[in-house]
Amino acid sequence: MIDRADTRRRFLAGIAFALALSGGITLLALAGYGTHAAVVTFALLAPLGVVTVLAAEWWARHRQRAGGLRRQFAVVALVAVLQFAAAVALFARLMFVSAHDAFFAALVVLYASAVAAWTARLLGREALSDVDAIRATLTAVGEGRRDARTGVIGRDELAALAADVDVMVERLAGEEEARATLIAAVSHDLRTPITSLRLLADAIDDDLVDGPTRREYAARMSTHVTALSALIDDLFELTRLQSGDLQWTMQQVRLDVLVCEAVEAMRPAAGTISVHVDTAAELHAAGNPEKLQRVLFNLIQNAIRHTPPDGTITVRAHAGPAAHEVEVEVADTGSGIPSDDRALVFEPFYRGNRARTDSGAGLGLAICTAIVAAHGGRIWLADADVGTSVRFALPLASA
Ligand SMILES: Nc1ncnc2c1ncn2[C@@H]1O[C@H](COP(=O)(O)OP(=O)(O)OP(=O)(O)O)[C@@H](O)[C@H]1O
Ligand SMILES: [Mg+2]
């Protein structure tokens, strides 16, 4: 919405522009042909310029009345031609040009205007065909097609807009595919325990089982319910992280302390696996302690899951090779990750060999990735001779 003050300012700026321009040209006339020529030039150009600028300003504000862009451009061309013709006609009159010369001047104006209008139409047609292509693509996308592309090539603003539209459609297609995959994975992961729950409940309900078996079934049901609620919690957290809904406070955290706490908390679950900690003192990072704990728990839990009872897990935290980063590593001497899986393990619901990792939903590393990314960091699989080494780097906070 343009307010009144803004409108006035624009009108005044237009008038000032027209007057300054005619003043400049008057000076040239003055230098070349003296005072009379200068007065005539100014008397002729200034009103013409002011009227044209005001008409253009009015048109710019009411151009929607013309309808399509083609018509709007046509009106602009008409205004240009009219003021050109008016200037020539006024000059012919004020300079006492003979009827003969005035006639030829009018012919030249007519010819030049027609050629200019033709050229403008050509340019306009190209630009508007790009607009049509963008519009057709957006309509197709709105109707559900995801393979539509504008096909506009070039270096102007319309080409940039078309490129943005193409990128948007591609991203939309990718997101929709990822969402469909996610829904399929969630449905699958929900269906399996729910089927078991129904069978167990039916068995109990139908009085098919004796007392001890019933208790055993109830315990199994409880396990399924726990797994289900963990899955739903993880899924909820991942969705929130991925949608950028980050309602946590960032603070300066002592990463070395956090690592030691996480290891001590997980040590009982490691059983006979020996767990080592190796951290530099006083490692400060900007982050949310609970979320970073979550990352550490997930990584250590993975290491425990995939390491044999006589194996070793080492958690290291040091200043990274890049001076502004802290790097944390969770390394184990377990089964390692096959090269085919390495690119996929950070994807939601990706699980490696199911026989070994039956208890996980495949969300742990995806959640770690989202948390680390929300901290402005990155996570990756480092090369390891034995087992697996997962590393993540966070921006260092000044002490
Ligand atoms: N330390 C590791 N050693 C070997 N394989 C691993 C290790 N960490 C992860 N993986 C592989 O990566 C897969 C994905 O790990 P992720 O943590 O995302 O899921 P998960 O552990 O299977 O389930 P969740 O973490 O949701 O309980 C695992 O299924 C496993 O195949
Ligand atoms: Mg995991």
Side-chain angles (χ1 to χ4, degrees), residues 302-303 305-306 332 335-337 345 350-352 357 360-365 388:
N302 278 353
R305 245 184 223 163
H306 300 277
D332 62 57
S335 53
I337 298 178
V345 289
Y350 187 81
R351 275 164 292 202
T357 65
L363 289 174
L365 287 177
T388 305

Side-chain angles (χ1 to χ4, degrees), residues 209-240:
V209 287
D210 56 16
T213 317
R214 181 175 301 179
R215 272 191 297 282
E216 189 209 316
Y217 280 13
R220 270 203 241 165
M221 286 172 79
S222 163
T223 309
H224 282 310
V225 169
T226 309
L228 270 176
S229 62
L231 167 67
I232 289 165
D233 287 349
D234 280 356
L235 199 60
F236 188 59
E237 169 145 28
L238 183 67
T239 315
R240 273 184 37 183

Side-chain angles (χ1 to χ4, degrees), residues 135-222:
R135 204 167 141 223
T137 305
L138 288 174
T139 307
V141 171
E143 284 165 357
R145 275 185 51 200
R146 294 295 175 260
D147 57 346
R149 296 294 180 273
T150 60
V152 175
I153 308 164
R155 291 190 301 177
D156 61 9
E157 287 81 353
L158 282 176
L161 177 66
D164 286 349
V165 168
D166 286 344
V167 169
M168 181 201 78
V169 179
E170 223 155 274
R171 206 171 45 217
L172 201 63
E175 279 172 7
E176 280 181 3
E177 201 184 312
R179 203 170 307 137
T181 314
L182 195 72
I183 290 172
V186 175
S187 319
H188 174 266
D189 275 49
L190 291 177
R191 205 177 306 124
T192 316
I194 286 173
T195 309
S196 304
L197 277 173
R198 200 177 54 227
L199 292 174
L200 291 166
D202 285 352
I204 292 174
D205 198 38
D206 293 347
D207 274 339
L208 294 174
V209 287
D210 56 16
T213 317
R214 181 175 301 179
R215 272 191 297 282
E216 189 209 316
Y217 280 13
R220 270 203 241 165
M221 286 172 79
S222 163

